Amino acid sequence: MEGALSKWTNVMKGWQYRWFVLDDSAGLFSYYTSREKMRRGVRRGCVRLRGALVGIDDEDDSTFTITVDNKTFHFQAKDSEERERWIRALEDTVVRHNMIARRGVGGRQGGGSVKIEDFERKLAETDCYLQLLISQNSELEQQVDKEGGEVYQPLVERVNDMVETVKHAIVLLQIAKNASCPGEEEQLALVHGAAGASDGAEGESVEEARESRAETDSIRSSLSSPRRSPAHIRSAVAKSTSLKNPSTIPAVSYSSSDDDEDDFYDAQDDVASKAGSECGSAALPPLVTPTPSLVSPLTPSEVDWDALYEEDGEEEGDVDMKSHGSVITHLLSQVRIGMDLTKIVLPTFILERRSLLEMYADFFAHPDIFTDIAVKESQEERMVQVLRWYLSSFSASRKSTIAKKPYNPIIGEIFRCWWSLPSIQPPTSPSSTPGPIPWCGPSDLMFLAEQVSHHPPVSAFYVECGARQISFTGHIYTKSAFLGMSVAVHNIGEGRVSLLSTGEDYVLTFPSAYGRSILTTPWVELGGKCDISCPQTGYRAEVEFKCKQFWGTEQNKVVAEVFPPVGISKKSLLKVEGEWNGKMVAKYSSGKTETFLDMSTMPVVPKVVKSVVEQEKHESRRLWREVTQGLKSNNIEQATNGKLALEQKQREEAKDRKEKGVKWDNRMFLPIGENWHFKDPLGNRN
């Protein structure tokens, strides 16, 4: 099979026309700059299909990927039908050559079977040691910052190199396992009914197996040296191949743009990155924006969109990664050590049914605890109450023990909600200026969030209760990192509780989140040290979220201490210990002990959100309604199509802004320095 396709190239940073030839007998997918060059035998590059994974890219309905030899190649057909023809032919070739290789290797090993259970157990054990190494190295890095700590610097650098080597090894091992030993259901899915493709291929198996073993031994010897980086390994393997000779089968796939491989981005991310950062602080010409109606009628539908979000106590279904083995393997194949995971396209089935902006509203799921900060009489009591609210703010966002990822908000997306607090008396002389949510009263706690930047992804949110003269402004930049069999999401940013009646601000930071066991049944935990401080009074609190130790069983542990201003005492006023999603006990310096919080028995106050049909077109629930309905009804295809349509619209709008030379104008927040500030805070309206 041969024909024209476009291939993503790193040199040109775009799609390039190429003539492709699929050689089923050799298991090669070769490409040339033109059909004439193909006839002359001048090959530009090739993809070896044995052990490869063919995937559907989410750029549009005509693109697909091939992942093999630790590389991901991106291709584009003219339409979805042509893409389907290529994918079927490629997958049949992949299956055929994988079966040949397995028969050959199985014959040489006496027909012994691979024990995947032992492999997975050792892989999990390796990951435990990796997490321990990372934890100990973090403590060592803290010693470097202290006086005389420079003697530890060489050791820290060596340990960092070791951590990166182990991470890379875990990824390669997992990819190798899924590629060489797929489950029966994966084989059936790939064959497409072509079960007879291997007939007549017996004579090739022995020679194929020998070639495979020789290549494996060569790569293994390269990987065994800890001083070699993945780039050096790829270079060494490539040099040992037959260079671009169409009559030979190379040891690994190669491309004319391999030199730029480390600068590779998925096509969909490159469009946005070329458009530049979407932060409002970018130095671009001012934007002249029309003022269209923000609320437009929805297309008539029989779907009750609001029912999708009703709190019915139902937990979202568990995610069994083993049943999606080929998808997860393709996901891992895109990961490069040190790569920001915001560039990775995640499969739809691991999504939670709400936007990240809506998840941040759960910080205030116990509104009485937050608003009571303003009525405490002393500075010490107010600091203790801030800590109480802070420790209560994380459990509500985790509705299930299973780790799922909220939707990534698109730039300009907003979310608004409120809580009615009948226990709060409205002010005797209410302000004539309406609040940020016009239909809410001063006794309500109002929440507003906006996605203010896409690259990097930054969410800003604002909360206020006019009757209590209290507000909160925060922003979070999520930065992900791959940790072998875990994923870390670092929440970079800060929040600020402001009390207008006392003039006090309480500045706080956020913990990191860790998705564990991402290859089986993922679960989430919080980790890291956070601070709460009041610059006006000098009171401060230190909070540490402790990750589960691999030798222990305790999870979700948290320890917090409140300290008085410097000069009064160095001892803590109280210490809180327990589980951030369960019971926490406080012990005061006076010896008094009491239950500080018990999240297992504390009811969550439901937030109030406007009906979807009455929402503005950029509000979260309206934007993501098709995706949410698909996930709710377990229609993954509908959810995926809805997600792709939103992302494609965002890319097109970013491209249009770049071509017109206009900047994005954030609606509710302004960048000031490294922070984001609400444009019309409570203090400006008093």
PDB file of all heavy atoms in Angstrom, residues 150-170:
ATOM      1  N   GLU A 150      27.384  23.291  51.336  1.00  0.00           N
ATOM      2  CA  GLU A 150      27.887  23.108  49.978  1.00  0.00           C
ATOM      3  C   GLU A 150      28.595  21.768  49.785  1.00  0.00           C
ATOM      4  O   GLU A 150      28.754  21.285  48.664  1.00  0.00           O
ATOM      5  CB  GLU A 150      28.827  24.256  49.597  1.00  0.00           C
ATOM      6  CG  GLU A 150      30.060  24.412  50.491  1.00  0.00           C
ATOM      7  CD  GLU A 150      29.762  25.276  51.714  1.00  0.00           C
ATOM      8  OE1 GLU A 150      28.607  25.700  51.869  1.00  0.00           O
ATOM      9  OE2 GLU A 150      30.698  25.510  52.491  1.00  0.00           O
ATOM     10  N   VAL A 151      29.024  21.145  50.885  1.00  0.00           N
ATOM     11  CA  VAL A 151      29.714  19.847  50.771  1.00  0.00           C
ATOM     12  C   VAL A 151      28.754  18.770  50.264  1.00  0.00           C
ATOM     13  O   VAL A 151      29.189  17.731  49.745  1.00  0.00           O
ATOM     14  CB  VAL A 151      30.312  19.420  52.132  1.00  0.00           C
ATOM     15  CG1 VAL A 151      31.385  20.391  52.573  1.00  0.00           C
ATOM     16  CG2 VAL A 151      29.225  19.310  53.200  1.00  0.00           C
ATOM     17  N   TYR A 152      27.432  19.000  50.408  1.00  0.00           N
ATOM     18  CA  TYR A 152      26.449  18.012  49.964  1.00  0.00           C
ATOM     19  C   TYR A 152      26.094  18.178  48.481  1.00  0.00           C
ATOM     20  O   TYR A 152      25.427  17.316  47.907  1.00  0.00           O
ATOM     21  CB  TYR A 152      25.159  18.140  50.780  1.00  0.00           C
ATOM     22  CG  TYR A 152      25.321  17.833  52.244  1.00  0.00           C
ATOM     23  CD1 TYR A 152      25.300  18.843  53.208  1.00  0.00           C
ATOM     24  CD2 TYR A 152      25.490  16.519  52.678  1.00  0.00           C
ATOM     25  CE1 TYR A 152      25.447  18.566  54.555  1.00  0.00           C
ATOM     26  CE2 TYR A 152      25.638  16.226  54.025  1.00  0.00           C
ATOM     27  CZ  TYR A 152      25.612  17.258  54.961  1.00  0.00           C
ATOM     28  OH  TYR A 152      25.757  16.971  56.291  1.00  0.00           O
ATOM     29  N   GLN A 153      26.516  19.287  47.862  1.00  0.00           N
ATOM     30  CA  GLN A 153      26.087  19.570  46.500  1.00  0.00           C
ATOM     31  C   GLN A 153      26.459  18.472  45.505  1.00  0.00           C
ATOM     32  O   GLN A 153      25.614  18.049  44.695  1.00  0.00           O
ATOM     33  CB  GLN A 153      26.664  20.922  46.039  1.00  0.00           C
ATOM     34  CG  GLN A 153      26.127  21.399  44.695  1.00  0.00           C
ATOM     35  CD  GLN A 153      24.620  21.609  44.717  1.00  0.00           C
ATOM     36  OE1 GLN A 153      24.063  22.095  45.693  1.00  0.00           O
ATOM     37  NE2 GLN A 153      23.943  21.214  43.646  1.00  0.00           N
ATOM     38  N   PRO A 154      27.710  17.954  45.505  1.00  0.00           N
ATOM     39  CA  PRO A 154      28.038  16.875  44.557  1.00  0.00           C
ATOM     40  C   PRO A 154      27.149  15.649  44.739  1.00  0.00           C
ATOM     41  O   PRO A 154      26.741  15.018  43.753  1.00  0.00           O
ATOM     42  CB  PRO A 154      29.507  16.561  44.870  1.00  0.00           C
ATOM     43  CG  PRO A 154      30.043  17.803  45.509  1.00  0.00           C
ATOM     44  CD  PRO A 154      28.903  18.363  46.296  1.00  0.00           C
ATOM     45  N   LEU A 155      26.824  15.321  45.992  1.00  0.00           N
ATOM     46  CA  LEU A 155      25.971  14.163  46.250  1.00  0.00           C
ATOM     47  C   LEU A 155      24.560  14.404  45.720  1.00  0.00           C
ATOM     48  O   LEU A 155      23.936  13.506  45.134  1.00  0.00           O
ATOM     49  CB  LEU A 155      25.935  13.867  47.750  1.00  0.00           C
ATOM     50  CG  LEU A 155      25.056  12.680  48.196  1.00  0.00           C
ATOM     51  CD1 LEU A 155      25.518  11.402  47.514  1.00  0.00           C
ATOM     52  CD2 LEU A 155      25.103  12.533  49.713  1.00  0.00           C
ATOM     53  N   VAL A 156      24.044  15.619  45.923  1.00  0.00           N
ATOM     54  CA  VAL A 156      22.710  15.943  45.423  1.00  0.00           C
ATOM     55  C   VAL A 156      22.656  15.796  43.909  1.00  0.00           C
ATOM     56  O   VAL A 156      21.690  15.248  43.346  1.00  0.00           O
ATOM     57  CB  VAL A 156      22.311  17.375  45.842  1.00  0.00           C
ATOM     58  CG1 VAL A 156      21.046  17.820  45.116  1.00  0.00           C
ATOM     59  CG2 VAL A 156      22.091  17.453  47.349  1.00  0.00           C
ATOM     60  N   GLU A 157      23.679  16.275  43.216  1.00  0.00           N
ATOM     61  CA  GLU A 157      23.703  16.181  41.760  1.00  0.00           C
ATOM     62  C   GLU A 157      23.725  14.730  41.297  1.00  0.00           C
ATOM     63  O   GLU A 157      23.050  14.350  40.334  1.00  0.00           O
ATOM     64  CB  GLU A 157      24.916  16.940  41.211  1.00  0.00           C
ATOM     65  CG  GLU A 157      24.829  18.452  41.432  1.00  0.00           C
ATOM     66  CD  GLU A 157      26.094  19.177  41.000  1.00  0.00           C
ATOM     67  OE1 GLU A 157      27.055  18.482  40.591  1.00  0.00           O
ATOM     68  OE2 GLU A 157      26.123  20.420  41.059  1.00  0.00           O
ATOM     69  N   ARG A 158      24.496  13.886  41.995  1.00  0.00           N
ATOM     70  CA  ARG A 158      24.541  12.472  41.608  1.00  0.00           C
ATOM     71  C   ARG A 158      23.205  11.787  41.859  1.00  0.00           C
ATOM     72  O   ARG A 158      22.753  10.961  41.051  1.00  0.00           O
ATOM     73  CB  ARG A 158      25.651  11.754  42.390  1.00  0.00           C
ATOM     74  CG  ARG A 158      27.057  12.185  41.984  1.00  0.00           C
ATOM     75  CD  ARG A 158      28.106  11.284  42.623  1.00  0.00           C
ATOM     76  NE  ARG A 158      29.450  11.678  42.235  1.00  0.00           N
ATOM     77  CZ  ARG A 158      30.556  11.011  42.580  1.00  0.00           C
ATOM     78  NH1 ARG A 158      30.447   9.933  43.336  1.00  0.00           N
ATOM     79  NH2 ARG A 158      31.731  11.421  42.179  1.00  0.00           N
ATOM     80  N   VAL A 159      22.563  12.128  42.974  1.00  0.00           N
ATOM     81  CA  VAL A 159      21.269  11.519  43.269  1.00  0.00           C
ATOM     82  C   VAL A 159      20.225  11.971  42.246  1.00  0.00           C
ATOM     83  O   VAL A 159      19.381  11.182  41.813  1.00  0.00           O
ATOM     84  CB  VAL A 159      20.809  11.871  44.700  1.00  0.00           C
ATOM     85  CG1 VAL A 159      19.402  11.344  44.952  1.00  0.00           C
ATOM     86  CG2 VAL A 159      21.760  11.275  45.724  1.00  0.00           C
ATOM     87  N   ASN A 160      20.276  13.240  41.840  1.00  0.00           N
ATOM     88  CA  ASN A 160      19.349  13.720  40.809  1.00  0.00           C
ATOM     89  C   ASN A 160      19.523  12.940  39.510  1.00  0.00           C
ATOM     90  O   ASN A 160      18.546  12.578  38.841  1.00  0.00           O
ATOM     91  CB  ASN A 160      19.560  15.215  40.552  1.00  0.00           C
ATOM     92  CG  ASN A 160      18.929  16.086  41.630  1.00  0.00           C
ATOM     93  OD1 ASN A 160      17.937  15.706  42.235  1.00  0.00           O
ATOM     94  ND2 ASN A 160      19.500  17.245  41.883  1.00  0.00           N
ATOM     95  N   ASP A 161      20.769  12.685  39.126  1.00  0.00           N
ATOM     96  CA  ASP A 161      21.023  11.879  37.931  1.00  0.00           C
ATOM     97  C   ASP A 161      20.454  10.476  38.085  1.00  0.00           C
ATOM     98  O   ASP A 161      19.882   9.909  37.147  1.00  0.00           O
ATOM     99  CB  ASP A 161      22.533  11.802  37.652  1.00  0.00           C
ATOM    100  CG  ASP A 161      23.113  13.140  37.211  1.00  0.00           C
ATOM    101  OD1 ASP A 161      22.326  13.998  36.766  1.00  0.00           O
ATOM    102  OD2 ASP A 161      24.339  13.323  37.325  1.00  0.00           O
ATOM    103  N   MET A 162      20.608   9.913  39.286  1.00  0.00           N
ATOM    104  CA  MET A 162      20.098   8.571  39.532  1.00  0.00           C
ATOM    105  C   MET A 162      18.576   8.543  39.451  1.00  0.00           C
ATOM    106  O   MET A 162      17.983   7.614  38.888  1.00  0.00           O
ATOM    107  CB  MET A 162      20.563   8.075  40.905  1.00  0.00           C
ATOM    108  CG  MET A 162      20.202   6.623  41.206  1.00  0.00           C
ATOM    109  SD  MET A 162      20.677   6.140  42.879  1.00  0.00           S
ATOM    110  CE  MET A 162      22.441   6.442  42.825  1.00  0.00           C
ATOM    111  N   VAL A 163      17.918   9.563  40.012  1.00  0.00           N
ATOM    112  CA  VAL A 163      16.461   9.628  39.969  1.00  0.00           C
ATOM    113  C   VAL A 163      15.967   9.668  38.526  1.00  0.00           C
ATOM    114  O   VAL A 163      15.028   8.955  38.150  1.00  0.00           O
ATOM    115  CB  VAL A 163      15.953  10.871  40.742  1.00  0.00           C
ATOM    116  CG1 VAL A 163      14.488  11.134  40.437  1.00  0.00           C
ATOM    117  CG2 VAL A 163      16.147  10.677  42.241  1.00  0.00           C
ATOM    118  N   GLU A 164      16.602  10.496  37.690  1.00  0.00           N
ATOM    119  CA  GLU A 164      16.185  10.589  36.296  1.00  0.00           C
ATOM    120  C   GLU A 164      16.387   9.270  35.565  1.00  0.00           C
ATOM    121  O   GLU A 164      15.576   8.869  34.729  1.00  0.00           O
ATOM    122  CB  GLU A 164      16.963  11.713  35.592  1.00  0.00           C
ATOM    123  CG  GLU A 164      16.635  13.111  36.106  1.00  0.00           C
ATOM    124  CD  GLU A 164      15.149  13.404  35.998  1.00  0.00           C
ATOM    125  OE1 GLU A 164      14.586  13.257  34.900  1.00  0.00           O
ATOM    126  OE2 GLU A 164      14.534  13.753  37.022  1.00  0.00           O
ATOM    127  N   THR A 165      17.482   8.567  35.876  1.00  0.00           N
ATOM    128  CA  THR A 165      17.741   7.279  35.233  1.00  0.00           C
ATOM    129  C   THR A 165      16.680   6.255  35.607  1.00  0.00           C
ATOM    130  O   THR A 165      16.173   5.515  34.760  1.00  0.00           O
ATOM    131  CB  THR A 165      19.136   6.755  35.638  1.00  0.00           C
ATOM    132  OG1 THR A 165      20.134   7.707  35.248  1.00  0.00           O
ATOM    133  CG2 THR A 165      19.436   5.435  34.958  1.00  0.00           C
ATOM    134  N   VAL A 166      16.299   6.220  36.883  1.00  0.00           N
ATOM    135  CA  VAL A 166      15.288   5.261  37.334  1.00  0.00           C
ATOM    136  C   VAL A 166      13.926   5.588  36.717  1.00  0.00           C
ATOM    137  O   VAL A 166      13.186   4.698  36.296  1.00  0.00           O
ATOM    138  CB  VAL A 166      15.205   5.249  38.876  1.00  0.00           C
ATOM    139  CG1 VAL A 166      14.078   4.339  39.336  1.00  0.00           C
ATOM    140  CG2 VAL A 166      16.518   4.785  39.480  1.00  0.00           C
ATOM    141  N   LYS A 167      13.582   6.878  36.683  1.00  0.00           N
ATOM    142  CA  LYS A 167      12.317   7.271  36.057  1.00  0.00           C
ATOM    143  C   LYS A 167      12.255   6.770  34.611  1.00  0.00           C
ATOM    144  O   LYS A 167      11.262   6.186  34.171  1.00  0.00           O
ATOM    145  CB  LYS A 167      12.167   8.798  36.066  1.00  0.00           C
ATOM    146  CG  LYS A 167      11.840   9.421  37.406  1.00  0.00           C
ATOM    147  CD  LYS A 167      11.686  10.907  37.201  1.00  0.00           C
ATOM    148  CE  LYS A 167      11.526  11.665  38.499  1.00  0.00           C
ATOM    149  NZ  LYS A 167      11.433  13.114  38.272  1.00  0.00           N
ATOM    150  N   HIS A 168      13.322   7.028  33.875  1.00  0.00           N
ATOM    151  CA  HIS A 168      13.345   6.639  32.466  1.00  0.00           C
ATOM    152  C   HIS A 168      13.255   5.126  32.320  1.00  0.00           C
ATOM    153  O   HIS A 168      12.570   4.609  31.434  1.00  0.00           O
ATOM    154  CB  HIS A 168      14.624   7.166  31.817  1.00  0.00           C
ATOM    155  CG  HIS A 168      14.646   7.012  30.324  1.00  0.00           C
ATOM    156  ND1 HIS A 168      13.832   7.751  29.492  1.00  0.00           N
ATOM    157  CD2 HIS A 168      15.367   6.187  29.525  1.00  0.00           C
ATOM    158  CE1 HIS A 168      14.066   7.393  28.242  1.00  0.00           C
ATOM    159  NE2 HIS A 168      14.979   6.448  28.229  1.00  0.00           N
ATOM    160  N   ALA A 169      13.918   4.393  33.198  1.00  0.00           N
ATOM    161  CA  ALA A 169      13.876   2.932  33.134  1.00  0.00           C
ATOM    162  C   ALA A 169      12.468   2.405  33.376  1.00  0.00           C
ATOM    163  O   ALA A 169      12.026   1.459  32.712  1.00  0.00           O
ATOM    164  CB  ALA A 169      14.850   2.341  34.158  1.00  0.00           C
ATOM    165  N   ILE A 170      11.747   2.987  34.333  1.00  0.00           N
ATOM    166  CA  ILE A 170      10.385   2.539  34.622  1.00  0.00           C
ATOM    167  C   ILE A 170       9.485   2.748  33.405  1.00  0.00           C
ATOM    168  O   ILE A 170       8.675   1.882  33.048  1.00  0.00           O
ATOM    169  CB  ILE A 170       9.826   3.287  35.851  1.00  0.00           C
ATOM    170  CG1 ILE A 170      10.529   2.793  37.132  1.00  0.00           C
ATOM    171  CG2 ILE A 170       8.318   3.095  35.978  1.00  0.00           C
ATOM    172  CD1 ILE A 170      10.105   3.527  38.386  1.00  0.00           C
TER     173      ILE A 170
END
